[in-house]
mmCIF file of all heavy atoms in Angstrom:
data_model
loop_
_atom_site.group_PDB
_atom_site.id
_atom_site.type_symbol
_atom_site.label_atom_id
_atom_site.label_comp_id
_atom_site.label_asym_id
_atom_site.label_seq_id
_atom_site.Cartn_x
_atom_site.Cartn_y
_atom_site.Cartn_z
ATOM 1 N N MET A 15 123.730 76.379 119.093
ATOM 2 C CA MET A 15 123.804 76.307 120.558
ATOM 3 C C MET A 15 123.474 77.667 121.159
ATOM 4 O O MET A 15 122.803 77.751 122.198
ATOM 5 C CB MET A 15 125.186 75.837 121.016
ATOM 6 C CG MET A 15 125.275 75.628 122.526
ATOM 7 S SD MET A 15 124.168 74.326 123.144
ATOM 8 C CE MET A 15 125.055 72.876 122.577
ATOM 9 N N ALA A 18 119.843 77.859 121.175
ATOM 10 C CA ALA A 18 119.296 77.030 122.252
ATOM 11 C C ALA A 18 119.464 77.719 123.607
ATOM 12 O O ALA A 18 118.556 77.687 124.444
ATOM 13 C CB ALA A 18 119.966 75.656 122.255
ATOM 14 N N LEU A 19 120.587 78.361 123.821
ATOM 15 C CA LEU A 19 120.812 79.092 125.074
ATOM 16 C C LEU A 19 119.790 80.211 125.251
ATOM 17 O O LEU A 19 119.300 80.441 126.358
ATOM 18 C CB LEU A 19 122.233 79.658 125.123
ATOM 19 C CG LEU A 19 123.283 78.724 125.690
ATOM 20 C CD1 LEU A 19 124.680 79.225 125.336
ATOM 21 C CD2 LEU A 19 123.118 78.569 127.188
ATOM 22 N N ALA A 22 116.589 78.620 126.251
ATOM 23 C CA ALA A 22 116.694 78.141 127.633
ATOM 24 C C ALA A 22 116.538 79.298 128.620
ATOM 25 O O ALA A 22 115.877 79.153 129.655
ATOM 26 C CB ALA A 22 118.033 77.431 127.844
ATOM 27 N N PRO A 32 116.105 75.610 132.752
ATOM 28 C CA PRO A 32 116.565 76.186 131.476
ATOM 29 C C PRO A 32 117.375 75.228 130.601
ATOM 30 O O PRO A 32 118.599 75.279 130.537
ATOM 31 C CB PRO A 32 117.398 77.383 131.916
ATOM 32 C CG PRO A 32 117.917 77.003 133.253
ATOM 33 C CD PRO A 32 116.831 76.176 133.885
ATOM 34 N N ILE A 33 116.651 74.374 129.931
ATOM 35 C CA ILE A 33 117.241 73.454 128.955
ATOM 36 C C ILE A 33 116.449 73.627 127.669
ATOM 37 O O ILE A 33 115.213 73.660 127.698
ATOM 38 C CB ILE A 33 117.176 71.998 129.435
ATOM 39 C CG1 ILE A 33 117.929 71.842 130.763
ATOM 40 C CG2 ILE A 33 117.753 71.056 128.371
ATOM 41 C CD1 ILE A 33 117.700 70.519 131.450
ATOM 42 N N ALA A 34 117.156 73.746 126.554
ATOM 43 C CA ALA A 34 116.489 73.915 125.258
ATOM 44 C C ALA A 34 117.257 73.171 124.183
ATOM 45 O O ALA A 34 118.462 72.908 124.326
ATOM 46 C CB ALA A 34 116.369 75.392 124.910
ATOM 47 N N ALA A 84 121.189 70.451 118.731
ATOM 48 C CA ALA A 84 122.001 71.177 119.707
ATOM 49 C C ALA A 84 121.147 71.305 120.960
ATOM 50 O O ALA A 84 120.011 71.785 120.890
ATOM 51 C CB ALA A 84 122.380 72.557 119.180
ATOM 52 N N VAL A 85 121.663 70.861 122.096
ATOM 53 C CA VAL A 85 120.926 70.936 123.356
ATOM 54 C C VAL A 85 121.875 71.400 124.448
ATOM 55 O O VAL A 85 123.054 71.054 124.446
ATOM 56 C CB VAL A 85 120.245 69.585 123.699
ATOM 57 C CG1 VAL A 85 121.254 68.469 123.888
ATOM 58 C CG2 VAL A 85 119.329 69.726 124.893
ATOM 59 N N THR A 86 121.361 72.186 125.365
ATOM 60 C CA THR A 86 122.211 72.863 126.341
ATOM 61 C C THR A 86 122.750 71.964 127.437
ATOM 62 O O THR A 86 123.754 72.302 128.061
ATOM 63 C CB THR A 86 121.452 74.046 126.970
ATOM 64 O OG1 THR A 86 120.212 73.565 127.511
ATOM 65 C CG2 THR A 86 121.178 75.118 125.929
ATOM 66 N N LEU A 87 122.122 70.825 127.692
ATOM 67 C CA LEU A 87 122.579 69.899 128.735
ATOM 68 C C LEU A 87 122.646 68.495 128.165
ATOM 69 O O LEU A 87 121.788 68.101 127.356
ATOM 70 C CB LEU A 87 121.627 69.933 129.936
ATOM 71 C CG LEU A 87 122.002 69.069 131.138
ATOM 72 C CD1 LEU A 87 123.276 69.600 131.805
ATOM 73 C CD2 LEU A 87 120.864 69.037 132.151
ATOM 74 N N GLU A 88 123.627 67.725 128.601
ATOM 75 C CA GLU A 88 123.745 66.331 128.183
ATOM 76 C C GLU A 88 122.412 65.612 128.407
ATOM 77 O O GLU A 88 121.870 65.642 129.507
ATOM 78 C CB GLU A 88 124.842 65.655 129.002
ATOM 79 C CG GLU A 88 125.040 64.197 128.694
ATOM 80 C CD GLU A 88 126.076 63.533 129.590
ATOM 81 O OE1 GLU A 88 126.617 64.210 130.498
ATOM 82 O OE2 GLU A 88 126.329 62.337 129.387
ATOM 83 N N GLY A 108 125.861 70.940 125.341
ATOM 84 C CA GLY A 108 126.655 71.894 126.108
ATOM 85 C C GLY A 108 127.292 71.275 127.328
ATOM 86 O O GLY A 108 128.354 70.652 127.248
ATOM 87 N N ALA A 109 126.653 71.415 128.473
ATOM 88 C CA ALA A 109 127.226 70.974 129.745
ATOM 89 C C ALA A 109 126.994 69.484 129.982
ATOM 90 O O ALA A 109 125.945 68.946 129.633
ATOM 91 C CB ALA A 109 126.593 71.780 130.886
ATOM 92 N N CYS A 144 126.324 77.195 129.185
ATOM 93 C CA CYS A 144 125.197 76.311 129.470
ATOM 94 C C CYS A 144 125.128 75.972 130.955
ATOM 95 O O CYS A 144 124.065 76.051 131.574
ATOM 96 C CB CYS A 144 125.308 75.034 128.634
ATOM 97 S SG CYS A 144 125.139 75.301 126.849
#
Side-chain angles (χ1 to χ4, degrees):
M15 185 63 75
L19 272 164
I33 301 169
V85 62
T86 55
L87 183 67
E88 178 184 3
C144 294

